[in-house]
Amino acid sequence: MRIESMERGRVPKALEDVDEPISLLYYGEGGTGKTTDLFHAALLGKLWVANAETGIKARAVKQWGIELDNFELFPGDDEKIEFDTVLGEWKRIREELHGDPGAYFATGWDSVSEIQALMKDEEMAARHMKKLRQGQEVSRFVMDEDNWRTVNEECRQLIRKFRYELPCHFIMTALERRDVDKQSGRVTIQPAVTPGLQKDLVGWVDIVCHCRTIQLGDEEVYMGLMRNSGIYRGKDRYKLLPRQLVNPTFDRILKYYQGELTLETDDEMNSLRERMEAAKKDEQEPAAIAA
């Protein structure tokens, strides 16, 4: 392949020269900073967001000094989040990026849990109408295996398109849920999507960040776990992030990826360590942080 390319006067790009977009999944309980982590991408450029949980608020954005013009929220008035509408947005964004590579810095889903739930509702309503047309009286709240396969496949197709077929960063949030393995009894905390989608979702992204808070005196501190640890799932394909990161906003994660931050030069991490050491001296018991 390389010889053929050189014969055509085209030299393949070296791996280290490729500046690939980052794909990232934040997951955790409500109130652990996931949406805030996502919308910090708008500090760096235009961000399109499927705002399924309506969690992005103008007041919060302004507090962080982010320009409102850097946000493009979907759905707008008289729009719904459905398979066809999200696919239509993907096609529009793709065309804009084709004409202007800087048109969008990143796209985001907030959250994939809620988007899958909305697609489930769409499929459930379609199933109910189909059964009624066939003269069958069925509950409008029941799904069969074929319906669930449809929902999972719709989500897979859309996630893959946003993840692999747009030349910009892709960020998702998800709620968390507790899973128990039926054979071993092992408990894990995973992103809250259906089992049929869960493995693919985690496998496709470059970074999985479990979001949580720790209490440090009277202060609530936002933390992100980037490695598998106990019952929690984390992932860092680049091996550039600390095991745990304080305030794991997208702009901070990108600085680690670009080499602008390291564990030694991260003032926020160093400040947290100092405060935790001071707390220990005061005989407090804050949650441990591992670099």
Side-chain angles (χ1 to χ4, degrees), residues 156-195:
R156 284 192 187 95
Q157 286 190 26
L158 292 174
I159 291 169
R160 286 181 64 86
K161 286 184 178 297
F162 276 83
R163 162 65 176 91
Y164 293 109
E165 299 181 35
L166 292 180
C168 62
H169 303 296
F170 180 43
I171 311 158
M172 292 179 285
T173 67
L175 295 172
E176 71 175 36
R177 77 176 189 199
R178 182 177 182 270
D179 290 336
V180 181
D181 185 90
K182 293 181 180 180
Q183 293 184 337
S184 66
R186 182 172 180 265
V187 175
T188 55
I189 303 297
Q190 303 268 19
V193 293
T194 57

Side-chain angles (χ1 to χ4, degrees), residues 44-273:
L44 307 172
K46 191 171 182 179
L47 171 66
W48 176 94
V49 181
N51 192 28
E53 295 192 355
T54 64
I56 297 180
K57 307 296 184 184
R59 180 178 295 180
V61 169
K62 289 178 180 177
Q63 287 177 345
W64 288 100
I66 302 174
E67 295 290 336
L68 292 180
D69 288 346
N70 276 1
F71 283 91
E72 187 174 298
L73 301 184
F74 174 81
D77 294 338
D78 301 321
E79 293 179 315
K80 291 183 179 181
I81 291 180
E82 299 173 341
F83 176 80
D84 289 338
T85 60
V86 177
L87 181 62
E89 283 294 286
W90 170 79
K91 289 178 179 177
R92 182 187 61 78
I93 293 167
R94 181 186 60 175
E95 290 303 311
E96 289 202 29
L97 285 167
H98 179 73
D100 176 10
Y104 290 92
F105 176 75
T107 61
W109 286 20
D110 187 38
S111 68
V112 64
S113 304
E114 181 61 20
I115 289 173
Q116 186 180 50
L118 291 172
M119 291 185 182
K120 179 204 74 173
D121 291 345
E122 179 188 3
E123 178 66 15
M124 197 159 51
R127 173 189 182 274
H128 183 246
M129 290 302 298
K130 180 179 178 181
K131 295 295 185 183
L132 288 179
R133 287 195 297 268
Q134 294 173 346
Q136 301 179 38
E137 289 290 337
V138 296
S139 170
R140 66 176 65 243
F141 303 111
V142 173
M143 294 268 283
D144 58 29
E145 289 187 12
D146 287 340
N147 296 129
W148 279 115
R149 288 192 195 99
T150 297
V151 171
N152 286 334
E153 189 55 36
E154 286 179 343
C155 289
R156 284 192 187 95
Q157 286 190 26
L158 292 174
I159 291 169
R160 286 181 64 86
K161 286 184 178 297
F162 276 83
R163 162 65 176 91
Y164 293 109
E165 299 181 35
L166 292 180
C168 62
H169 303 296
F170 180 43
I171 311 158
M172 292 179 285
T173 67
L175 295 172
E176 71 175 36
R177 77 176 189 199
R178 182 177 182 270
D179 290 336
V180 181
D181 185 90
K182 293 181 180 180
Q183 293 184 337
S184 66
R186 182 172 180 265
V187 175
T188 55
I189 303 297
Q190 303 268 19
V193 293
T194 57
L197 180 63
Q198 197 174 78
K199 184 177 180 180
D200 289 336
L201 182 67
V202 171
W204 286 336
V205 297
D206 300 313
I207 299 168
V208 175
C209 174
H210 178 259
C211 299
R212 65 188 180 100
T213 61
I214 61 173
Q215 201 68 30
L216 187 58
D218 295 331
E219 181 185 4
E220 190 176 56
V221 179
Y222 293 99
M223 299 295 301
L225 177 70
M226 311 295 181
R227 303 281 194 282
N228 288 339
S229 178
I231 63 175
Y232 298 102
R233 171 70 65 90
K235 177 182 177 182
D236 173 18
R237 183 170 286 162
Y238 304 109
K239 303 296 189 290
L240 294 172
L241 298 165
R243 183 172 176 271
Q244 292 191 73
L245 181 66
V246 63
N247 295 328
T249 56
F250 186 78
D251 56 317
R252 280 177 45 74
I253 287 177
L254 188 61
K255 286 181 179 180
Y256 271 90
Y257 171 60
Q258 295 175 334
E260 297 178 31
L261 271 184
T262 65
L263 193 56
E264 291 72 26
T265 63
D266 189 339
D267 291 339
E268 290 193 48
M269 289 289 284
N270 292 329
S271 173
L272 180 61
R273 283 198 200 88

